[in-house]
Amino acid sequence: MRKGQAAMEFLMTYGWAILIVIAVVAALFAMGVFKLPTGGVAPCSPCFAPATGIAYKDHGAKQISIINGRANEINITRVIADGNVDTFTGGVIVAANGDVTLNLTNIDLSTQPSTQVIIEFIDLETGIAHNATATLHGA
C-alpha cells in the first residue's frame, strides 16, 4: 500500500467520524439542549419550611395560593407582609392536604421585588398556633 493511499484512508475514516459528531452536536443544539434556563428568579426562595406543613402553590399581586400538607385541618387567621396585615375574621379553614387561595385586601405583593410573607394559622386538632414564612419574588 502506498503512503498516499494510507493517508487518504486515514483522512476519510476520521473525516466521516468528525462529520457524524458535528451532525449530532448540531441536532442537540437544535433541540435546545445547550440553552440556559430562562424565567429569572424562582417565585419563592426560600419557600415555606417543610416542617410547617404549608407549601407554596402560586401568588399574584393581591392573592396567594397555598397547600395544607398537614394531616389536620388548619385555620388561617392572618397574613403579614411588609408590615401590612390581612386578618381573616373567623379564619379560613383548609382541609388536610387541601389548597386555598387567599384574597388579600391590605397587602400588595407586587410593590417590592421580594416580599417576606408570614402566614399565621392554628392546627384545629391540637389547637396550637403556628406560622410559616416565605420570601416571594415578583407577582
Side-chain angles (χ1 to χ4, degrees):
M1 187 179 331
R2 295 181 179 167
K3 290 182 183 179
Q5 182 181 354
M8 185 60 85
E9 287 178 4
F10 177 83
L11 289 175
M12 288 296 291
T13 302
Y14 286 99
W16 283 111
I18 290 170
L19 193 61
I20 290 170
V21 168
I22 290 172
V24 168
V25 169
L28 289 173
F29 184 78
M31 290 189 307
V33 172
F34 300 113
K35 289 184 182 174
L36 295 175
T38 59
V41 180
C44 65
S45 175
C47 292
F48 299 108
T52 65
I54 302 296
Y56 171 84
K57 186 174 179 184
D58 196 10
H59 76 279
K62 299 294 276 181
Q63 62 187 19
I64 183 169
S65 296
I66 59 169
I67 300 169
N68 173 17
R70 301 172 73 86
N72 308 324
E73 284 186 332
I74 62 171
N75 184 2
I76 298 173
T77 55
R78 294 192 327 161
V79 176
I80 303 166
D82 291 332
N84 298 318
V85 179
D86 266 324
T87 301
F88 301 101
T89 305
V92 176
I93 307 294
V94 185
N97 298 311
D99 59 65
V100 67
T101 298
L102 301 169
N103 292 314
L104 308 171
T105 55
N106 298 325
I107 298 172
D108 187 352
L109 297 174
S110 66
T111 60
Q112 302 292 328
S114 66
T115 304
Q116 186 178 48
V117 174
I118 301 168
I119 296 179
E120 294 181 353
F121 63 95
I122 299 169
D123 185 313
L124 291 179
E125 185 172 307
T126 63
I128 298 174
H130 300 273
N131 63 48
T133 303
T135 302
L136 305 181
H137 304 287

